[in-house]
Amino acid sequence: YQGEAGMATRFNENWSEQRRIMAQRVAAVLYGVISIMTAELSVQAGTFGYAEAAIGALLVGFAMTVTRIFIEMVKKETEIGAHLPIGKSGAIVRDSLLVMLFPATTALLIVVAELSTMPWTILLNIVLYLGITTVFVIGFLSSYVLDRAIRPALLRGVVWLFLSLVLVTAKNLA
């Protein structure tokens, strides 16, 4: 056990502003992935039209983007002990737009599925497994950017992969 002093030294040696920003961006993408995976749990094949599903994915992403902006602004205000001026919130808004990455990808996949007449069951599986894969990659990257250590990054990726499989199990049991 290193204690807080040992952890602070390691934190200072391995952390940089660029890595902190990257970690925040990786977390933003995760918001979008989990929001789509969660919404996908309740979607049954043929429940919605393709256009409705694509718009729904974008709306879910937008809702999570706005939620992340609110959360990050409140966190920042709590850190600084004052209201955050509008001009200083640009980075929060810009980074929060990354939440839309997975929902936009999902919407694009839905459009491609419609154009190729892909059955809903295959589309839902693709979205689900793409989400699971993305959770693994995000888990890996969120650890790797900290100290460039492969083993803890792989461990985090696998743990997050396992936890996302709980969502798949929940859907299969429902």
Side-chain angles (χ1 to χ4, degrees), residues 1 4 10-12 17 19 25 43 49-50 53 55 61 68 73 84 93 96 128-129 136-139 154 161-162:
Y1 175 73
E4 286 186 36
R10 183 166 185 214
F11 176 82
N12 291 333
E17 184 64 17
R19 288 181 181 169
R25 291 177 179 165
V43 175
Y50 288 97
I55 291 169
R68 185 171 192 281
M73 288 184 78
L84 190 63
V93 171
S96 293
L128 187 64
Y129 293 117
F136 170 80
V137 170
I138 289 171
L154 283 173
L161 172 72
F162 176 75

Short mmCIF file of all heavy atoms in Angstrom, two decimals, residues 1 4 10-12 17 19 25 43 49-50 53 55 61 68 73 84 93 96 128-129 136-139 154 161-162:
data_model
loop_
_atom_site.label_atom_id
_atom_site.label_comp_id
_atom_site.label_asym_id
_atom_site.label_seq_id
_atom_site.Cartn_x
_atom_site.Cartn_y
_atom_site.Cartn_z
N TYR A 1 0.85 -1.18 0.00
CA TYR A 1 0.00 0.00 0.00
C TYR A 1 0.89 1.24 0.00
O TYR A 1 1.74 1.40 0.87
CB TYR A 1 -0.93 -0.03 1.22
CG TYR A 1 -1.76 1.21 1.35
CD1 TYR A 1 -2.82 1.43 0.48
CD2 TYR A 1 -1.49 2.15 2.33
CE1 TYR A 1 -3.59 2.57 0.60
CE2 TYR A 1 -2.26 3.28 2.45
CZ TYR A 1 -3.32 3.48 1.58
OH TYR A 1 -4.09 4.60 1.69
N GLU A 4 -1.62 7.84 0.31
CA GLU A 4 -1.96 8.98 -0.53
C GLU A 4 -0.73 9.69 -1.08
O GLU A 4 -0.72 10.14 -2.21
CB GLU A 4 -2.84 9.97 0.24
CG GLU A 4 -4.25 9.47 0.41
CD GLU A 4 -5.14 10.51 1.05
OE1 GLU A 4 -4.96 11.70 0.78
OE2 GLU A 4 -6.01 10.11 1.84
N ARG A 10 2.86 9.23 -7.98
CA ARG A 10 2.62 8.50 -9.22
C ARG A 10 1.69 9.29 -10.12
O ARG A 10 1.88 9.37 -11.33
CB ARG A 10 2.03 7.13 -8.91
CG ARG A 10 1.85 6.32 -10.16
CD ARG A 10 1.59 4.87 -9.84
NE ARG A 10 1.55 4.17 -11.12
CZ ARG A 10 0.80 3.16 -11.37
NH1 ARG A 10 0.05 2.66 -10.44
NH2 ARG A 10 0.81 2.59 -12.55
N PHE A 11 0.67 9.89 -9.55
CA PHE A 11 -0.28 10.70 -10.30
C PHE A 11 0.44 11.83 -11.02
O PHE A 11 0.26 12.04 -12.19
CB PHE A 11 -1.34 11.26 -9.33
CG PHE A 11 -2.32 12.20 -9.97
CD1 PHE A 11 -3.42 11.71 -10.66
CD2 PHE A 11 -2.15 13.57 -9.89
CE1 PHE A 11 -4.33 12.57 -11.24
CE2 PHE A 11 -3.05 14.43 -10.47
CZ PHE A 11 -4.14 13.93 -11.15
N ASN A 12 1.31 12.52 -10.32
CA ASN A 12 2.02 13.65 -10.91
C ASN A 12 3.01 13.22 -11.98
O ASN A 12 3.20 13.90 -12.97
CB ASN A 12 2.76 14.45 -9.83
CG ASN A 12 1.79 15.17 -8.91
OD1 ASN A 12 0.68 15.50 -9.32
ND2 ASN A 12 2.19 15.38 -7.68
N GLU A 17 -1.94 17.07 -18.74
CA GLU A 17 -3.18 17.72 -19.14
C GLU A 17 -3.77 17.05 -20.37
O GLU A 17 -4.97 16.86 -20.48
CB GLU A 17 -2.92 19.22 -19.40
CG GLU A 17 -4.17 20.00 -19.72
CD GLU A 17 -5.19 20.05 -18.58
OE1 GLU A 17 -4.84 19.77 -17.43
OE2 GLU A 17 -6.36 20.38 -18.87
N ARG A 19 -3.49 13.91 -21.27
CA ARG A 19 -4.09 12.63 -20.88
C ARG A 19 -5.41 12.86 -20.16
O ARG A 19 -6.36 12.10 -20.32
CB ARG A 19 -3.14 11.83 -20.01
CG ARG A 19 -1.98 11.27 -20.79
CD ARG A 19 -1.08 10.48 -19.88
NE ARG A 19 0.04 9.95 -20.65
CZ ARG A 19 1.10 9.41 -20.10
NH1 ARG A 19 1.20 9.32 -18.78
NH2 ARG A 19 2.07 8.95 -20.84
N ARG A 25 -12.68 12.73 -22.86
CA ARG A 25 -13.29 12.46 -24.17
C ARG A 25 -13.70 10.99 -24.29
O ARG A 25 -14.75 10.68 -24.84
CB ARG A 25 -12.33 12.88 -25.28
CG ARG A 25 -12.20 14.39 -25.33
CD ARG A 25 -11.21 14.85 -26.35
NE ARG A 25 -11.18 16.32 -26.36
CZ ARG A 25 -10.25 17.04 -26.90
NH1 ARG A 25 -9.25 16.45 -27.55
NH2 ARG A 25 -10.30 18.35 -26.85
N VAL A 43 -36.01 -2.54 -27.35
CA VAL A 43 -36.45 -2.58 -28.74
C VAL A 43 -36.57 -4.02 -29.20
O VAL A 43 -35.64 -4.80 -29.07
CB VAL A 43 -35.47 -1.81 -29.66
CG1 VAL A 43 -35.86 -1.96 -31.11
CG2 VAL A 43 -35.42 -0.35 -29.26
N GLY A 49 -40.15 1.51 -37.31
CA GLY A 49 -39.61 1.57 -38.66
C GLY A 49 -38.15 1.98 -38.59
O GLY A 49 -37.67 2.47 -37.57
N TYR A 50 -37.45 1.79 -39.68
CA TYR A 50 -36.03 2.13 -39.69
C TYR A 50 -35.80 3.62 -39.44
O TYR A 50 -34.92 4.01 -38.68
CB TYR A 50 -35.39 1.72 -41.03
CG TYR A 50 -35.23 0.22 -41.18
CD1 TYR A 50 -36.16 -0.53 -41.88
CD2 TYR A 50 -34.12 -0.42 -40.64
CE1 TYR A 50 -36.00 -1.90 -42.03
CE2 TYR A 50 -33.96 -1.79 -40.78
CZ TYR A 50 -34.91 -2.53 -41.47
OH TYR A 50 -34.75 -3.88 -41.61
N ALA A 53 -36.34 4.44 -35.82
CA ALA A 53 -35.24 3.94 -34.99
C ALA A 53 -34.00 4.84 -35.13
O ALA A 53 -33.33 5.12 -34.13
CB ALA A 53 -34.90 2.50 -35.38
N ILE A 55 -33.93 8.06 -35.94
CA ILE A 55 -34.23 9.31 -35.23
C ILE A 55 -34.19 9.08 -33.73
O ILE A 55 -33.65 9.90 -32.97
CB ILE A 55 -35.59 9.89 -35.69
CG1 ILE A 55 -35.48 10.37 -37.13
CG2 ILE A 55 -36.04 11.01 -34.77
CD1 ILE A 55 -36.81 10.71 -37.79
N GLY A 61 -29.09 10.00 -28.05
CA GLY A 61 -27.75 10.59 -27.99
C GLY A 61 -27.79 12.06 -27.60
O GLY A 61 -26.99 12.53 -26.79
N ARG A 68 -24.84 15.25 -20.11
CA ARG A 68 -23.41 15.33 -19.79
C ARG A 68 -22.96 16.78 -19.67
O ARG A 68 -22.16 17.11 -18.79
CB ARG A 68 -22.56 14.61 -20.84
CG ARG A 68 -21.09 14.61 -20.42
CD ARG A 68 -20.26 13.73 -21.31
NE ARG A 68 -18.94 13.51 -20.77
CZ ARG A 68 -17.93 14.37 -20.83
NH1 ARG A 68 -18.09 15.54 -21.40
NH2 ARG A 68 -16.76 14.07 -20.32
N MET A 73 -20.81 20.83 -16.24
CA MET A 73 -20.82 22.23 -15.83
C MET A 73 -20.98 22.35 -14.31
O MET A 73 -20.28 23.13 -13.67
CB MET A 73 -21.92 23.00 -16.56
CG MET A 73 -21.56 23.22 -18.03
SD MET A 73 -22.75 24.21 -18.91
CE MET A 73 -22.28 25.82 -18.34
N LEU A 84 -19.82 29.15 -13.73
CA LEU A 84 -18.95 29.06 -14.89
C LEU A 84 -19.46 30.02 -15.96
O LEU A 84 -20.60 29.91 -16.40
CB LEU A 84 -18.96 27.63 -15.43
CG LEU A 84 -17.95 27.27 -16.50
CD1 LEU A 84 -16.53 27.41 -15.96
CD2 LEU A 84 -18.18 25.84 -16.96
N VAL A 93 -18.83 21.76 -23.73
CA VAL A 93 -19.80 21.49 -24.80
C VAL A 93 -19.13 20.70 -25.92
O VAL A 93 -19.68 19.70 -26.40
CB VAL A 93 -20.41 22.81 -25.33
CG1 VAL A 93 -21.25 22.56 -26.57
CG2 VAL A 93 -21.24 23.48 -24.24
N SER A 96 -18.49 17.20 -24.85
CA SER A 96 -19.75 16.48 -24.66
C SER A 96 -20.38 16.06 -25.98
O SER A 96 -21.15 15.10 -26.02
CB SER A 96 -20.73 17.33 -23.85
OG SER A 96 -20.25 17.49 -22.53
N LEU A 128 -25.86 -4.19 -30.73
CA LEU A 128 -25.52 -4.67 -29.40
C LEU A 128 -24.06 -5.08 -29.31
O LEU A 128 -23.33 -4.66 -28.40
CB LEU A 128 -26.44 -5.83 -29.01
CG LEU A 128 -26.30 -6.31 -27.58
CD1 LEU A 128 -26.71 -5.22 -26.60
CD2 LEU A 128 -27.15 -7.55 -27.37
N TYR A 129 -23.60 -5.88 -30.26
CA TYR A 129 -22.22 -6.37 -30.20
C TYR A 129 -21.21 -5.28 -30.53
O TYR A 129 -20.10 -5.28 -30.00
CB TYR A 129 -22.04 -7.62 -31.06
CG TYR A 129 -22.83 -8.77 -30.48
CD1 TYR A 129 -23.87 -9.36 -31.18
CD2 TYR A 129 -22.57 -9.22 -29.18
CE1 TYR A 129 -24.61 -10.38 -30.62
CE2 TYR A 129 -23.30 -10.25 -28.62
CZ TYR A 129 -24.32 -10.83 -29.34
OH TYR A 129 -25.05 -11.83 -28.78
N PHE A 136 -15.47 -2.36 -24.40
CA PHE A 136 -14.15 -2.93 -24.13
C PHE A 136 -13.04 -1.95 -24.52
O PHE A 136 -12.12 -1.68 -23.74
CB PHE A 136 -13.94 -4.26 -24.87
CG PHE A 136 -12.51 -4.74 -24.80
CD1 PHE A 136 -12.04 -5.38 -23.66
CD2 PHE A 136 -11.63 -4.51 -25.84
CE1 PHE A 136 -10.72 -5.79 -23.57
CE2 PHE A 136 -10.31 -4.92 -25.77
CZ PHE A 136 -9.85 -5.57 -24.64
N VAL A 137 -13.14 -1.39 -25.73
CA VAL A 137 -12.11 -0.47 -26.22
C VAL A 137 -12.05 0.77 -25.33
O VAL A 137 -10.96 1.24 -24.98
CB VAL A 137 -12.38 -0.09 -27.70
CG1 VAL A 137 -11.49 1.05 -28.16
CG2 VAL A 137 -12.20 -1.31 -28.59
N ILE A 138 -13.21 1.30 -24.95
CA ILE A 138 -13.23 2.49 -24.10
C ILE A 138 -12.66 2.18 -22.72
O ILE A 138 -11.89 2.97 -22.16
CB ILE A 138 -14.67 3.05 -23.98
CG1 ILE A 138 -15.08 3.67 -25.31
CG2 ILE A 138 -14.78 4.07 -22.86
CD1 ILE A 138 -16.55 4.04 -25.38
N GLY A 139 -13.01 1.02 -22.17
CA GLY A 139 -12.44 0.62 -20.89
C GLY A 139 -10.92 0.52 -20.97
O GLY A 139 -10.20 1.01 -20.11
N LEU A 154 -5.98 -3.82 -20.12
CA LEU A 154 -6.69 -5.02 -20.56
C LEU A 154 -7.67 -5.50 -19.50
O LEU A 154 -8.80 -5.90 -19.80
CB LEU A 154 -5.72 -6.13 -20.94
CG LEU A 154 -5.02 -5.99 -22.28
CD1 LEU A 154 -3.96 -7.07 -22.44
CD2 LEU A 154 -6.03 -6.05 -23.42
N LEU A 161 -16.20 -5.16 -20.30
CA LEU A 161 -16.83 -6.05 -21.26
C LEU A 161 -17.78 -7.00 -20.53
O LEU A 161 -18.93 -7.18 -20.94
CB LEU A 161 -15.76 -6.85 -22.02
CG LEU A 161 -16.26 -7.97 -22.92
CD1 LEU A 161 -16.93 -7.38 -24.15
CD2 LEU A 161 -15.11 -8.87 -23.31
N PHE A 162 -17.30 -7.57 -19.44
CA PHE A 162 -18.14 -8.47 -18.65
C PHE A 162 -19.40 -7.75 -18.15
O PHE A 162 -20.50 -8.29 -18.23
CB PHE A 162 -17.34 -9.03 -17.47
CG PHE A 162 -18.16 -9.89 -16.56
CD1 PHE A 162 -18.53 -11.17 -16.92
CD2 PHE A 162 -18.60 -9.40 -15.33
CE1 PHE A 162 -19.32 -11.95 -16.09
CE2 PHE A 162 -19.37 -10.16 -14.49
CZ PHE A 162 -19.73 -11.45 -14.87
#
